[in-house]
Amino acid sequence: MEESAVVTDFLKAYKDTFHLKQTDAASYSPLVLAYMGDAVYELMIRTMVVKRRNMQVNKMHRKSASLVKAETQARLIKLLETELTEEELAVFKRGRNAKSATMAKHATMIDYRMATGFEALIGYLFLTERFVRMVELTGMGLDKLGEFGADE
């Protein structure tokens, strides 16, 4: 219960300080959602790696990079597709089907598109403040990949 109060207090302070207005996350383009989701997912992964145990920064970076690369995100979302609600699946597909001007240099087009869809979903869940669902899906996907709780 206390954690909910902390999140609520954080969100209020964040919105008040930066004068953020309420917006409809569905109105954003899928690439904007993916832009947001990329940052949020990376922050979740980095936090998980840092809090797992103290290690050299280059080892933390390698572990984080292996989990945020397009190939891993594509594998993760493939494992999660059956767990998504209709709304979440629609957001994922919008992101997956979005035409981007760029592509990751070490990813296939299919992996890149799947990863963009995953990031769009994470961005959408973040912007709609469905944090529990966002973390639940991420944890479930990492668990199915064998990465949740794995120590290196």
Side-chain angles (χ1 to χ4, degrees):
M1 210 49 128
E2 185 179 324
E3 211 165 270
S4 295
V6 170
V7 171
T8 302
D9 290 346
F10 167 78
L11 285 172
K12 182 177 179 350
Y14 178 68
K15 290 173 184 177
D16 290 349
T17 301
F18 294 104
H19 310 288
L20 301 176
K21 60 183 190 266
Q22 192 67 24
T23 58
D24 177 17
S27 68
Y28 289 113
S29 81
L31 294 179
V32 169
L33 294 175
Y35 172 76
M36 191 75 220
D38 176 60
V40 171
Y41 179 69
E42 177 139 4
L43 182 59
M44 284 193 296
I45 294 300
R46 284 185 180 211
T47 302
M48 181 186 77
V49 169
V50 166
K51 292 208 171 227
R52 191 174 281 167
R53 70 181 177 121
N54 196 5
M55 65 177 101
Q56 294 172 334
V57 174
N58 66 338
K59 288 181 181 177
M60 285 189 265
H61 173 72
R62 281 197 306 270
K63 183 62 178 171
S64 296
S66 75
L67 294 173
V68 300
K69 67 184 181 178
E71 178 188 352
T72 303
Q73 289 181 11
R75 286 178 36 226
L76 191 145
I77 193 63
K78 286 175 190 169
L79 294 170
L80 288 176
E81 273 189 274
T82 59
E83 307 291 337
L84 302 180
T85 66
E86 286 183 33
E87 177 187 18
E88 292 165 348
L89 190 58
V91 171
F92 161 69
K93 286 180 177 179
R94 278 184 61 216
R96 181 197 63 196
N97 296 335
K99 303 294 186 243
S100 176
T102 61
M103 190 181 98
K105 56 184 166 182
H106 298 295
T108 67
M109 179 60 79
I110 292 169
D111 283 352
Y112 184 73
R113 292 251 170 106
M114 295 291 285
T116 301
F118 171 72
E119 290 173 345
L121 175 59
I122 295 296
Y124 180 79
L125 292 172
F126 179 80
L127 291 172
T128 57
E129 298 179 8
R130 297 180 200 171
F131 306 119
V132 172
R133 181 64 174 159
M134 179 182 73
V135 172
E136 177 183 69
L137 286 172
T138 301
M140 191 183 316
L142 291 172
D143 186 45
K144 288 182 178 197
L145 286 175
E147 292 292 342
F148 195 67
D151 221 358
E152 255 188 38

